[in-house]
Amino acid sequence: QVQLVESGGGLVQPGESMRLSCAASRSLFGMAAMAWYRQGPGKQRELVARITSDGSTSYADSVKGRFTISRNNWKNAMYLQMNSLKPEDTAVYYCNALEDGTDYWGEGTLVTVSS
């Protein structure tokens, strides 16, 4: 078992930046992959960015070039740097970890992009 806690959400204006953090209750070294998902108002949950144990990353087309995912196994943490935010990025952002075929989820943090 691992508990995941997101932080860093809030209200920002379009064009601004925000950094989300995901703190894990134990080491991330065993995690095959970690990811950020989001669920906007009236939308299904979607994959935003993913990082594997060897550091390989992938992104949804909608955030490529604007978002950067990273992980620090020594600090049991994962991050999502979000730049040039748009109103359509408004969503609850969830931290996800995959280990031995089991998915773990945080409770989410709300990001609102609005002027």
Side-chain angles (χ1 to χ4, degrees):
Q1 288 278 350
V2 60
Q3 283 73 48
L4 304 172
V5 179
E6 303 93 339
S7 61
L11 173 65
V12 292
Q13 294 190 347
E16 293 186 340
S17 298
M18 177 178 282
R19 188 193 197 207
L20 303 181
S21 298
C22 173
S25 59
R26 59 171 174 82
S27 173
L28 300 181
F29 282 104
M31 301 297 173
M34 298 192 70
W36 287 96
Y37 285 74
R38 68 184 181 187
Q39 186 166 14
K43 299 180 180 179
Q44 291 189 331
R45 190 174 297 191
E46 63 175 353
L47 176 63
V48 176
R50 186 171 181 266
I51 184 166
T52 63
S53 57
D54 65 358
S56 298
T57 59
S58 58
Y59 298 90
D61 288 343
S62 58
V63 306
K64 277 182 184 176
R66 299 189 298 122
F67 290 12
T68 303
I69 189 172
S70 61
R71 63 193 277 181
N72 186 326
N73 292 339
W74 298 104
K75 293 186 177 181
N76 300 348
M78 178 178 67
Y79 309 98
L80 185 67
Q81 177 66 41
M82 305 184 292
N83 299 327
S84 302
L85 283 160
K86 304 175 180 180
E88 50 264 43
D89 294 318
T90 294
V92 177
Y93 284 72
Y94 297 91
C95 175
N96 168 269
L98 175 65
E99 184 181 52
D100 296 331
T102 299
D103 274 303
Y104 299 95
W105 295 91
E107 294 192 351
T109 184
L110 176 62
V111 173
T112 303
V113 185
S114 176
S115 55

